[in-house]
Amino acid sequence: MANVAEFGNEDFDVVGWVNKLCAQKRGSNEETLDKFLSEMEMRLQLSAEEIEASLHDSSNQALRRIPFAVQEIYRLQVGRACML
């Protein structure tokens, strides 16, 4: 499968990408092509689920760090005010 970063490009051509995959698939048997496309769809769905889970974990970690960051900022502001 292609590098996931490809999908984020503004000029990414979905139809061209699918056509390229189909052209690379050897054998003109329609059943084989259907199976290949079904497998590619499943791989894309699994990749999307993995990306979603990773984003979910990263956002949860960021949300857990926010209170500590705010507390640290407040502590630094108070410390700076005391120095003035």
Side-chain angles (χ1 to χ4, degrees), residues 53-69:
S54 176
L55 287 172
H56 182 74
D57 290 344
S58 295
S59 24
N60 281 339
Q61 289 174 4
L63 287 173
R64 277 184 257 139
R65 287 191 299 256
I66 289 174
F68 299 109

Side-chain angles (χ1 to χ4, degrees), residues 2-14 17 44 51:
N3 183 355
V4 177
E6 275 186 62
F7 296 104
N9 293 337
E10 286 185 33
D11 59 344
F12 180 70
D13 179 19
V14 176
W17 183 77
L44 287 170
I51 291 168

Side-chain angles (χ1 to χ4, degrees), residues 26-39:
R26 299 291 182 225
S28 59
N29 186 341
E30 187 175 317
E31 184 178 328
T32 303
L33 183 59
D34 285 344
K35 182 180 176 184
F36 173 74
L37 291 173
S38 294
E39 289 173 0

